[in-house]
Amino acid sequence: MDERNLDLVVRNENTRDKFQTEVVRFELDQILQHFVEAIQTINAQFDIVDELIESGKVIEGENIWRAQIIFLASALDFYMHELTKYGLCEIYNENWNHTDKYENLQVNMKAIEIALKSGEDIDWFLEYINNYYRAITMVSYESVKDQLNLLGICLASVADGAFYQRGETENTKARFKRRLNELFSRRNIIAHQSDRAHTDAQVNIITKEIVQNFICDIEKIVRAIDAEARNK
């Protein structure tokens, strides 16, 4: 009878396929450029509105102004999502300091299993945070504030960078909060109520100036956030 071979078989290491994600982590220049391109597209609609109003199609022109507000909120939302992915990866890679909110992120067991199999590869984390935040809207003051705190970006510095003017009576943080909430509120009223008031169904006034002021202030906010992120 042949003797049984009782020697331990050497286990092959690293034979599992590493997790790979299709989620792209853009750099700060690319994230800002995506926002700039969105703003350029929004601004291009003003010429169309001018032509419509000149030809007597005022309602049609006003509805494009309303659409511009929705697209502006969408551009801000997308910017914040991309910044969140970038910033969390920077914290994970220890390029940015940890924050309390980062250390209290909720990670499920499925993600942990993938992480353990992935070694030092970060794809699992990028996929996880993309899925975790994809359904969260980041336009209101509270949502933007939460993301800045998560990433360790100073809100007061962002507000100052966006809105500081010598002699201004409204403090920068108050204006930062007000303008974000005004955009979020108007966006919701347009998207969910056809821009009509709940109380009497009257259509809210919309003007070119209202839209331009929103665009101007949101651009200031995004560029101030970008500046703070680059200084980290």
Side-chain angles (χ1 to χ4, degrees):
M1 178 182 293
D2 294 337
E3 293 184 3
R4 293 174 60 193
N5 183 358
L6 300 179
D7 292 340
L8 294 176
V9 177
V10 177
R11 182 166 61 91
N12 290 329
E13 299 289 342
N14 300 321
T15 57
R16 292 191 180 101
D17 292 334
K18 285 190 175 181
F19 177 81
Q20 292 183 322
T21 181
E22 295 182 355
V23 179
V24 178
R25 175 182 177 266
F26 293 103
E27 297 300 317
L28 289 175
D29 284 342
Q30 296 170 300
I31 295 170
L32 182 62
Q33 183 58 32
H34 293 158
F35 176 79
V36 169
E37 289 171 0
I39 295 300
Q40 290 172 343
T41 300
I42 293 167
N43 280 328
Q45 304 307 306
F46 284 119
D47 290 339
I48 298 173
V49 176
D50 290 343
E51 292 176 6
L52 286 171
I53 291 177
E54 286 175 7
S55 65
K57 297 180 178 179
V58 176
I59 293 176
E60 290 83 350
E62 289 179 344
N63 283 336
I64 292 179
W65 284 336
R66 292 185 174 93
Q68 285 175 295
I69 288 177
I70 291 177
F71 282 122
L72 177 62
S74 177
L76 173 61
D77 184 48
F78 189 76
Y79 172 83
M80 290 303 303
H81 276 87
E82 292 303 293
L83 180 70
T84 296
K85 287 189 289 187
Y86 174 86
L88 287 178
C89 287
E90 286 295 283
I91 296 174
Y92 183 86
N93 286 328
E94 299 185 343
N95 296 322
W96 289 7
N97 292 332
H98 282 211
T99 65
D100 290 340
K101 285 184 174 292
Y102 172 85
E103 292 180 351
N104 286 289
L105 283 175
Q106 300 297 312
V107 181
N108 60 44
M109 282 304 301
K110 181 178 179 181
I112 292 173
E113 288 177 359
I114 294 173
L116 291 173
K117 296 173 185 177
S118 298
E120 295 182 0
D121 196 279
I122 198 174
D123 270 17
W124 75 271
F125 186 60
L126 187 58
E127 175 87 8
Y128 181 72
I129 58 180
N130 187 68
N131 291 334
Y132 185 86
Y133 288 105
R134 68 193 307 170
I136 299 175
T137 303
M138 302 178 189
V139 178
S140 70
Y141 168 75
E142 287 298 327
S143 62
V144 172
K145 180 186 72 173
D146 285 346
Q147 295 313 107
L148 295 182
N149 288 338
L150 170 67
L151 302 178
I153 295 175
C154 178
L155 187 151
S157 296
V158 170
D160 285 346
F163 295 122
Y164 176 76
Q165 286 184 323
R166 186 183 298 274
E168 178 63 52
T169 56
E170 183 180 26
N171 73 62
T172 58
K173 186 175 177 181
R175 183 171 180 183
F176 180 85
K177 179 177 181 178
R178 176 173 63 81
R179 292 304 281 160
L180 285 176
N181 283 340
E182 285 174 348
L183 174 65
F184 187 56
S185 175
R186 191 64 187 265
R187 176 264 177 202
N188 287 342
I189 293 171
I190 293 170
H192 303 298
Q193 301 165 215
S194 300
D195 208 17
R196 291 180 179 271
H198 267 311
T199 52
D200 56 9
Q202 290 296 307
V203 177
N204 292 308
I205 294 172
I206 185 76
T207 66
K208 184 177 184 177
E209 183 180 13
I210 288 172
V211 180
Q212 288 176 324
N213 287 342
F214 270 131
I215 293 172
C216 180
D217 284 348
I218 298 307
E219 275 195 284
K220 289 177 180 177
I221 289 172
V222 167
R223 291 191 179 277
I225 293 173
D226 177 70
E228 289 299 312
R230 291 174 190 273
N231 287 332
K232 287 185 64 64

PDB file of all heavy atoms in Angstrom, residues 134-149:
ATOM      1  N   ARG A 134     -24.537  58.511  -3.198  1.00  0.00           N
ATOM      2  CA  ARG A 134     -25.150  58.803  -4.491  1.00  0.00           C
ATOM      3  C   ARG A 134     -26.586  59.305  -4.374  1.00  0.00           C
ATOM      4  O   ARG A 134     -27.046  60.101  -5.209  1.00  0.00           O
ATOM      5  CB  ARG A 134     -25.098  57.563  -5.393  1.00  0.00           C
ATOM      6  CG  ARG A 134     -25.976  56.405  -4.942  1.00  0.00           C
ATOM      7  CD  ARG A 134     -25.632  55.124  -5.675  1.00  0.00           C
ATOM      8  NE  ARG A 134     -25.637  55.297  -7.117  1.00  0.00           N
ATOM      9  CZ  ARG A 134     -25.187  54.372  -7.970  1.00  0.00           C
ATOM     10  NH1 ARG A 134     -24.687  53.233  -7.505  1.00  0.00           N
ATOM     11  NH2 ARG A 134     -25.242  54.589  -9.258  1.00  0.00           N
ATOM     12  N   ALA A 135     -27.316  58.871  -3.353  1.00  0.00           N
ATOM     13  CA  ALA A 135     -28.719  59.268  -3.207  1.00  0.00           C
ATOM     14  C   ALA A 135     -28.895  60.508  -2.323  1.00  0.00           C
ATOM     15  O   ALA A 135     -30.017  60.952  -2.100  1.00  0.00           O
ATOM     16  CB  ALA A 135     -29.537  58.106  -2.640  1.00  0.00           C
ATOM     17  N   ILE A 136     -27.801  61.054  -1.823  1.00  0.00           N
ATOM     18  CA  ILE A 136     -27.864  62.216  -0.932  1.00  0.00           C
ATOM     19  C   ILE A 136     -27.686  63.495  -1.755  1.00  0.00           C
ATOM     20  O   ILE A 136     -26.715  63.641  -2.489  1.00  0.00           O
ATOM     21  CB  ILE A 136     -26.782  62.131   0.151  1.00  0.00           C
ATOM     22  CG1 ILE A 136     -26.999  60.879   1.013  1.00  0.00           C
ATOM     23  CG2 ILE A 136     -26.777  63.391   1.015  1.00  0.00           C
ATOM     24  CD1 ILE A 136     -25.910  60.641   2.039  1.00  0.00           C
ATOM     25  N   THR A 137     -28.637  64.423  -1.620  1.00  0.00           N
ATOM     26  CA  THR A 137     -28.550  65.698  -2.319  1.00  0.00           C
ATOM     27  C   THR A 137     -27.702  66.669  -1.513  1.00  0.00           C
ATOM     28  O   THR A 137     -27.910  66.848  -0.321  1.00  0.00           O
ATOM     29  CB  THR A 137     -29.950  66.296  -2.540  1.00  0.00           C
ATOM     30  OG1 THR A 137     -30.745  65.359  -3.273  1.00  0.00           O
ATOM     31  CG2 THR A 137     -29.879  67.601  -3.312  1.00  0.00           C
ATOM     32  N   MET A 138     -26.736  67.298  -2.176  1.00  0.00           N
ATOM     33  CA  MET A 138     -25.801  68.194  -1.499  1.00  0.00           C
ATOM     34  C   MET A 138     -25.931  69.606  -2.058  1.00  0.00           C
ATOM     35  O   MET A 138     -25.053  70.094  -2.784  1.00  0.00           O
ATOM     36  CB  MET A 138     -24.372  67.684  -1.650  1.00  0.00           C
ATOM     37  CG  MET A 138     -24.156  66.280  -1.120  1.00  0.00           C
ATOM     38  SD  MET A 138     -22.455  65.713  -1.372  1.00  0.00           S
ATOM     39  CE  MET A 138     -22.610  63.977  -0.901  1.00  0.00           C
ATOM     40  N   VAL A 139     -27.049  70.250  -1.740  1.00  0.00           N
ATOM     41  CA  VAL A 139     -27.306  71.605  -2.209  1.00  0.00           C
ATOM     42  C   VAL A 139     -27.661  72.530  -1.057  1.00  0.00           C
ATOM     43  O   VAL A 139     -27.227  73.680  -1.029  1.00  0.00           O
ATOM     44  CB  VAL A 139     -28.426  71.632  -3.278  1.00  0.00           C
ATOM     45  CG1 VAL A 139     -28.725  73.069  -3.727  1.00  0.00           C
ATOM     46  CG2 VAL A 139     -28.042  70.768  -4.479  1.00  0.00           C
ATOM     47  N   SER A 140     -28.441  72.053  -0.114  1.00  0.00           N
ATOM     48  CA  SER A 140     -28.852  72.881   1.021  1.00  0.00           C
ATOM     49  C   SER A 140     -27.651  73.226   1.897  1.00  0.00           C
ATOM     50  O   SER A 140     -26.601  72.568   1.839  1.00  0.00           O
ATOM     51  CB  SER A 140     -29.891  72.147   1.868  1.00  0.00           C
ATOM     52  OG  SER A 140     -29.290  71.052   2.545  1.00  0.00           O
ATOM     53  N   TYR A 141     -27.824  74.245   2.722  1.00  0.00           N
ATOM     54  CA  TYR A 141     -26.750  74.647   3.628  1.00  0.00           C
ATOM     55  C   TYR A 141     -26.328  73.504   4.536  1.00  0.00           C
ATOM     56  O   TYR A 141     -25.128  73.234   4.697  1.00  0.00           O
ATOM     57  CB  TYR A 141     -27.193  75.842   4.467  1.00  0.00           C
ATOM     58  CG  TYR A 141     -26.263  76.140   5.622  1.00  0.00           C
ATOM     59  CD1 TYR A 141     -25.033  76.745   5.402  1.00  0.00           C
ATOM     60  CD2 TYR A 141     -26.616  75.801   6.929  1.00  0.00           C
ATOM     61  CE1 TYR A 141     -24.167  77.008   6.454  1.00  0.00           C
ATOM     62  CE2 TYR A 141     -25.758  76.061   7.981  1.00  0.00           C
ATOM     63  CZ  TYR A 141     -24.538  76.662   7.746  1.00  0.00           C
ATOM     64  OH  TYR A 141     -23.679  76.907   8.793  1.00  0.00           O
ATOM     65  N   GLU A 142     -27.287  72.810   5.138  1.00  0.00           N
ATOM     66  CA  GLU A 142     -26.959  71.742   6.080  1.00  0.00           C
ATOM     67  C   GLU A 142     -26.177  70.625   5.408  1.00  0.00           C
ATOM     68  O   GLU A 142     -25.226  70.086   5.982  1.00  0.00           O
ATOM     69  CB  GLU A 142     -28.233  71.182   6.722  1.00  0.00           C
ATOM     70  CG  GLU A 142     -28.866  72.106   7.751  1.00  0.00           C
ATOM     71  CD  GLU A 142     -27.961  72.374   8.948  1.00  0.00           C
ATOM     72  OE1 GLU A 142     -27.185  71.471   9.322  1.00  0.00           O
ATOM     73  OE2 GLU A 142     -28.031  73.486   9.502  1.00  0.00           O
ATOM     74  N   SER A 143     -26.571  70.266   4.197  1.00  0.00           N
ATOM     75  CA  SER A 143     -25.887  69.163   3.503  1.00  0.00           C
ATOM     76  C   SER A 143     -24.472  69.567   3.097  1.00  0.00           C
ATOM     77  O   SER A 143     -23.535  68.778   3.233  1.00  0.00           O
ATOM     78  CB  SER A 143     -26.695  68.717   2.283  1.00  0.00           C
ATOM     79  OG  SER A 143     -26.816  69.771   1.345  1.00  0.00           O
ATOM     80  N   VAL A 144     -24.304  70.792   2.619  1.00  0.00           N
ATOM     81  CA  VAL A 144     -22.973  71.258   2.236  1.00  0.00           C
ATOM     82  C   VAL A 144     -22.091  71.392   3.480  1.00  0.00           C
ATOM     83  O   VAL A 144     -20.918  71.000   3.476  1.00  0.00           O
ATOM     84  CB  VAL A 144     -23.057  72.593   1.468  1.00  0.00           C
ATOM     85  CG1 VAL A 144     -21.666  73.183   1.247  1.00  0.00           C
ATOM     86  CG2 VAL A 144     -23.772  72.389   0.127  1.00  0.00           C
ATOM     87  N   LYS A 145     -22.661  71.933   4.545  1.00  0.00           N
ATOM     88  CA  LYS A 145     -21.914  72.067   5.803  1.00  0.00           C
ATOM     89  C   LYS A 145     -21.439  70.698   6.291  1.00  0.00           C
ATOM     90  O   LYS A 145     -20.272  70.548   6.714  1.00  0.00           O
ATOM     91  CB  LYS A 145     -22.793  72.716   6.878  1.00  0.00           C
ATOM     92  CG  LYS A 145     -22.088  72.889   8.229  1.00  0.00           C
ATOM     93  CD  LYS A 145     -23.043  73.389   9.301  1.00  0.00           C
ATOM     94  CE  LYS A 145     -24.028  72.288   9.717  1.00  0.00           C
ATOM     95  NZ  LYS A 145     -24.861  72.681  10.875  1.00  0.00           N
ATOM     96  N   ASP A 146     -22.311  69.704   6.239  1.00  0.00           N
ATOM     97  CA  ASP A 146     -21.942  68.361   6.688  1.00  0.00           C
ATOM     98  C   ASP A 146     -20.779  67.802   5.878  1.00  0.00           C
ATOM     99  O   ASP A 146     -19.867  67.167   6.433  1.00  0.00           O
ATOM    100  CB  ASP A 146     -23.141  67.419   6.579  1.00  0.00           C
ATOM    101  CG  ASP A 146     -24.172  67.655   7.676  1.00  0.00           C
ATOM    102  OD1 ASP A 146     -23.855  68.356   8.656  1.00  0.00           O
ATOM    103  OD2 ASP A 146     -25.295  67.136   7.548  1.00  0.00           O
ATOM    104  N   GLN A 147     -20.802  68.020   4.560  1.00  0.00           N
ATOM    105  CA  GLN A 147     -19.720  67.487   3.730  1.00  0.00           C
ATOM    106  C   GLN A 147     -18.415  68.224   3.985  1.00  0.00           C
ATOM    107  O   GLN A 147     -17.341  67.597   4.001  1.00  0.00           O
ATOM    108  CB  GLN A 147     -20.096  67.577   2.250  1.00  0.00           C
ATOM    109  CG  GLN A 147     -21.284  66.710   1.859  1.00  0.00           C
ATOM    110  CD  GLN A 147     -21.198  65.300   2.402  1.00  0.00           C
ATOM    111  OE1 GLN A 147     -21.920  64.928   3.329  1.00  0.00           O
ATOM    112  NE2 GLN A 147     -20.310  64.509   1.842  1.00  0.00           N
ATOM    113  N   LEU A 148     -18.474  69.513   4.188  1.00  0.00           N
ATOM    114  CA  LEU A 148     -17.250  70.253   4.497  1.00  0.00           C
ATOM    115  C   LEU A 148     -16.662  69.791   5.830  1.00  0.00           C
ATOM    116  O   LEU A 148     -15.440  69.623   5.954  1.00  0.00           O
ATOM    117  CB  LEU A 148     -17.534  71.754   4.532  1.00  0.00           C
ATOM    118  CG  LEU A 148     -17.967  72.400   3.206  1.00  0.00           C
ATOM    119  CD1 LEU A 148     -18.165  73.906   3.398  1.00  0.00           C
ATOM    120  CD2 LEU A 148     -16.967  72.140   2.096  1.00  0.00           C
ATOM    121  N   ASN A 149     -17.518  69.561   6.813  1.00  0.00           N
ATOM    122  CA  ASN A 149     -17.048  69.047   8.105  1.00  0.00           C
ATOM    123  C   ASN A 149     -16.459  67.650   7.964  1.00  0.00           C
ATOM    124  O   ASN A 149     -15.445  67.323   8.586  1.00  0.00           O
ATOM    125  CB  ASN A 149     -18.195  69.030   9.117  1.00  0.00           C
ATOM    126  CG  ASN A 149     -18.583  70.416   9.592  1.00  0.00           C
ATOM    127  OD1 ASN A 149     -17.792  71.350   9.510  1.00  0.00           O
ATOM    128  ND2 ASN A 149     -19.803  70.555  10.093  1.00  0.00           N
TER     129      ASN A 149
END
